[in-house]
Amino acid sequence: MTRFLGRRGGWATSLSVLVAATTLLSGATLCMATEQKAEIAANARQVYVPVGEWDKYYAFLSGGQSGSVLVYGLPSGRLIRSIPVYEPRAAYGYANIPGSDSYKRLKRTGAFWGDTHHPILSETHGDYDGRWLWINDKANSRVARIDLSHFETVAIENIPNLQGTHGIAVVSPDTSYIIVNGEFRAEIPEGLLKPDAYGSVMAFLDPESPAPRFEVLMPGNADINDSSKDGRWAFTTIYNLEKGVTIEEMIRRDEDAIAAINIPAAEAAIERGEFQTVDGVKVIDPAKTTKQVLYLVPVPKNPHGCDVTPDGKYVMGSGKLSPTVTIIDIAKLDKVEHPRDAIAGQPEVGLGPLHTTFDGRGNAYTSLFVDSQIVKWNIAKAVAGDPTYIVDRVDIHYNVGHTQAVLAETMHPSGDYLLSLNKLSKDMFLPVGPTMPENQELIDISGKTMHLLSSFPAEPEPHDAVFMRATDLAPKVVQVEKEPQPNAIKEGESRIERVGPHEVHVYMTAIRSKFGLPSFTVKEGDKVTITLTNIETLRDMSHGFALDRYGINIALDPGQTKEITFVADKPGTFWYYCTWFCSALHLEMRGRMLVEGENA
Ligand code: K7E
Ligand code: CUA
Ligand code: CA
């Protein structure tokens, strides 16, 4: 705690020095204490959201190793929702039962956990349209799509020919592709790479499925992605141009690169048939195309973040092992003789620069992992070579990885808040287990200097965040299904049908405070399919269907229909009950599945 206060502008230190000093100074102490109190009160006012009011922004955060997406309100820092993606969640009936679609999707694509890093949002005309969110699973080479109309994961795909899906970005301005790369070089089958057996690709995904339309072979690995604002370029940082497999090999060179893929040239190569089909995907080898597809701009050293400015002018590589950010003029990329000539500036910003974000007023904010700081610097000044480009620095608690200013990935950043996603919190919270909680900090960036407002812990571990204005998101969220699903059960249609000697189908409605059937009878060994419709028309009136001893829970929003299939392999009486507290008679909202034993 002492260390924390000590770093925060030195209040604790100056206070104790002053107290030890002569009584003449007691007036100054008092004045400082009053000032400090006023500052705390002002900070509190800025982040406090009155009861019943909305936060201005909804932040979608990577849930890290939890395999989910966390939705926080800003500026309050309240956790509003967690959306399960790569992990089961019983409350929503997500992937927790073998017969369900969400379960089958996870099973088909890999594991029941994930390592999420980068949430990204769909764009129309360069701004968020509130339709979809994608997130990578670095551990199992997957990409998932969440439908924001229901805050539900609706699609997950494996990306062939790569390992370690890491960087991911929407191709602006209209979400023509999702680009995702492989951070780890590995074998690509069918001899595409011989004699150099290891490789990686940048995959261009169909946004909806999200499966690859084509892939581009990369020299070395790839790390973080972004796209130009006109949809022409896909960028990624490469930190292993050495093609090393050990850490020593990966840091041998002083320069790695930002790779720029000319998207129209890649599309033309596909059209001309300049590709090889590998594991069902068209793969372009940039060394073998008629028109140049790949441009490599040298960037020191093991760069990490790759960020395009909101005006689309520059792409920036944050140095990681170099204290610099390299600014590349996108318009020059295919006009200069050597890609190096497209570099517009290379300002020194501090130690361990990881990611850079923007306020839309010409300033960049770079996270400094080693220095534990966010540094604000002026882009035009850095490009012009004006030595006064550093505007401000703020201390972070501690070791910031990602940082994002609100709406900085769009063409219109709002420029008011910045979130710092930190890897360590040290002694800021109780030691709540073998590891301390990770930490995130909210910074006011509306003025010339930055102002740290608040800190709130996060699940391990916060990687990246994207934001939407609450007012933009609100009209997109569907809370009651208007169109009944084709298999919906209507009031009065609840029934059980035997569809085969060992197969039954149960159709049931759910409404306050009863299920359509108070009980149904099946035979031991029957394959049972239950189709359940929540026939409520009132917003937020959810019902659940949990079946004791069968490990089943289905959760249904108003108007939703869901189906589950299982084998009734245990004879006896099994209660099913509603899992959402829906009314005063919620506890009574239950029924029995009677399983007749084989010899009954
Ligand atoms: Cu920098 Cu996976 Cu975005 Cu984390 S990566 S910090
Ligand atoms: Cu329905 Cu509780
Ligand atoms: Ca390197």
Side-chain angles (χ1 to χ4, degrees):
M1 198 63 196
T2 327
R3 168 142 192 219
F4 170 57
L5 280 175
R7 289 192 54 142
R8 286 264 40 76
W11 280 110
T13 336
S14 26
L15 219 61
S16 54
V17 168
L18 283 166
V19 167
T22 65
T23 45
L24 277 176
L25 284 172
S26 63
T29 314
L30 200 73
C31 164
M32 224 174 240
T34 315
E35 243 177 70
Q36 188 190 12
K37 266 192 208 155
E39 191 192 327
I40 290 170
N43 288 354
R45 259 197 305 278
Q46 220 176 318
V47 300
Y48 178 69
V49 175
V51 176
E53 278 183 28
W54 289 349
D55 270 285
K56 185 173 177 190
Y57 299 106
Y58 275 44
F60 297 89
L61 267 71
S62 122
Q65 297 95 310
S66 73
S68 52
V69 170
L70 305 173
V71 188
Y72 280 85
L74 292 183
S76 74
R78 300 180 292 190
L79 176 63
I80 290 168
R81 175 51 58 104
S82 145
I83 311 169
V85 184
Y86 300 109
E87 58 169 355
R89 187 74 51 84
Y92 311 139
Y94 181 79
N96 60 330
I97 326 149
S100 66
D101 288 346
S102 46
Y103 182 99
K104 286 188 240 169
R105 206 158 49 216
L106 284 187
K107 179 115 180 129
R108 174 176 62 82
T109 55
F112 285 78
W113 63 278
D115 181 17
T116 62
H117 282 227
H118 304 113
I120 53 166
L121 290 164
S122 56
E123 292 176 16
T124 301
H125 307 317
D127 288 311
Y128 295 145
D129 55 27
R131 287 186 301 154
W132 297 335
L133 180 148
W134 295 262
I135 189 145
N136 68 313
D137 168 14
K138 177 170 166 175
N140 302 287
S141 303
R142 293 186 283 192
V143 172
R145 178 167 62 87
I146 290 169
D147 188 334
L148 290 176
S149 68
H150 293 81
F151 275 51
E152 261 176 15
T153 305
V154 292
I156 300 177
E157 277 306 327
N158 287 113
I159 314 303
N161 303 322
L162 57 74
Q163 279 186 32
T165 40
H166 191 219
I168 175 169
V170 158
V171 173
S172 298
D174 291 312
T175 321
S176 46
Y177 298 97
I178 303 303
I179 47 173
V180 62
N181 62 41
E183 192 184 330
F184 308 139
R185 296 168 60 251
E187 288 108 343
I188 297 181
E190 300 183 29
L192 189 68
L193 288 161
K194 294 224 165 75
D196 181 10
Y198 279 3
S200 184
V201 297
M202 173 82 111
F204 288 73
L205 313 182
D206 166 66
E208 197 160 342
S209 51
R213 286 192 186 135
F214 65 88
E215 293 177 345
V216 178
L217 212 54
M218 300 300 295
N221 72 341
D223 192 11
I224 303 282
N225 292 355
D226 207 349
S227 82
S228 64
K229 297 298 182 194
D230 59 3
R232 288 193 64 234
W233 295 94
F235 302 109
T236 186
T237 41
I238 295 180
Y239 66 76
N240 186 17
L241 217 51
E242 298 91 341
K243 302 187 181 179
V245 290
T246 64
I247 187 168
E248 293 79 11
E249 289 168 4
M250 288 184 224
I251 59 173
R252 217 177 46 225
R253 291 170 53 115
D254 284 334
E255 277 180 337
D256 291 283
I258 278 191
I261 294 169
N262 182 321
I263 300 175
E267 290 167 335
I270 294 285
E271 235 158 74
R272 279 194 299 267
E274 295 170 347
F275 62 83
Q276 193 172 324
T277 304
V278 186
D279 204 1
V281 183
K282 295 166 181 160
V283 182
I284 300 170
D285 181 348
K288 296 179 187 153
T289 55
T290 321
K291 248 194 101 202
Q292 188 173 359
V293 167
L294 183 76
Y295 297 72
L296 285 185
V297 184
V299 170
K301 171 182 186 169
N302 286 44
H304 186 55
C306 179
D307 299 283
V308 171
T309 52
D311 59 9
K313 249 181 116 171
Y314 303 116
V315 56
M316 301 190 180
S318 307
K320 197 165 78 187
L321 299 189
S322 155
T324 56
V325 172
T326 301
I327 309 171
I328 297 162
D329 189 334
I330 297 173
K332 284 190 180 161
L333 270 172
D334 53 353
K335 307 220 164 47
V336 290
E337 205 180 313
H338 189 279
R340 187 186 293 277
D341 302 332
I343 295 176
Q346 205 162 66
E348 276 200 23
V349 291
L351 294 183
L354 287 189
H355 293 276
T356 300
T357 186
F358 311 99
D359 62 9
R361 297 187 297 270
N363 300 303
Y365 300 76
T366 302
S367 58
L368 302 173
F369 180 82
V370 178
D371 278 342
S372 274
Q373 280 183 337
I374 302 285
V375 54
K376 173 181 179 179
W377 52 279
N378 184 273
I379 302 166
K381 282 188 175 178
V383 169
D386 180 337
T388 66
Y389 58 87
I390 300 283
V391 182
D392 191 27
R393 292 177 189 276
V394 67
D395 287 338
I396 288 305
H397 314 87
Y398 295 89
N399 298 84
V400 51
H402 261 282
T403 184
Q404 281 285 4
V406 173
L407 304 182
E409 307 264 35
T410 72
M411 284 161 87
H412 304 96
S414 54
D416 46 2
Y417 295 111
L418 174 142
L419 198 62
S420 174
L421 302 138
N422 312 333
K423 302 301 183 191
L424 298 172
S425 62
K426 299 193 179 169
D427 53 3
M428 297 175 73
F429 306 98
L430 268 177
V432 286
T435 62
M436 300 294 285
E438 277 63 39
N439 190 30
Q440 22 196 14
E441 288 176 307
L442 187 69
I443 295 166
D444 179 352
I445 55 163
S446 60
K448 183 169 189 279
T449 56
M450 291 175 281
H451 191 75
L452 182 70
L453 291 173
S454 64
S455 101
F456 47 100
E459 286 278 305
E461 70 175 71
H463 273 283
D464 199 4
V466 281
F467 314 84
M468 276 201 72
R469 272 189 203 90
T471 47
D472 290 343
L473 191 58
K476 304 287 177 180
V477 184
V478 174
Q479 289 202 308
V480 182
E481 294 303 329
K482 295 269 170 345
E483 294 294 318
Q485 282 154 267
N487 58 343
I489 317 301
K490 292 193 200 72
E491 169 110 69
E493 286 183 355
S494 297
R495 66 198 185 276
I496 177 165
E497 279 174 11
R498 181 154 288 280
V499 288
H502 304 291
E503 205 172 336
V504 295
H505 201 142
V506 179
Y507 303 88
M508 242 197 295
T509 54
I511 190 166
R512 280 156 295 163
S513 299
K514 63 209 280 191
F515 290 108
L517 296 173
S519 71
F520 61 87
T521 305
V522 301
K523 290 204 190 77
E524 183 182 353
D526 272 347
K527 185 173 156 195
V528 182
T529 299
I530 298 175
T531 307
L532 195 66
T533 301
N534 178 347
I535 56 171
E536 301 279 359
T537 52
L538 193 70
R539 195 163 116 158
D540 202 29
M541 218 12 106
S542 305
H543 297 289
F545 174 93
L547 181 58
D548 206 331
R549 306 278 167 120
Y550 274 86
I552 282 170
N553 184 37
I554 309 171
L556 296 155
D557 293 333
Q560 262 188 345
T561 299
K562 283 186 186 169
E563 212 164 78
I564 176 75
T565 300
F566 60 95
V567 176
D569 51 7
K570 293 177 275 278
T573 298
F574 301 93
W575 284 95
Y576 48 85
Y577 71 96
C578 176
T579 40
W580 288 78
F581 210 110
C582 51
S583 70
L585 286 171
H586 154 78
L587 294 170
E588 289 81 352
M589 186 169 173
R590 54 192 170 113
R592 289 167 304 150
M593 176 174 80
L594 306 165
V595 184
E596 290 177 344
E598 254 167 359
N599 309 317

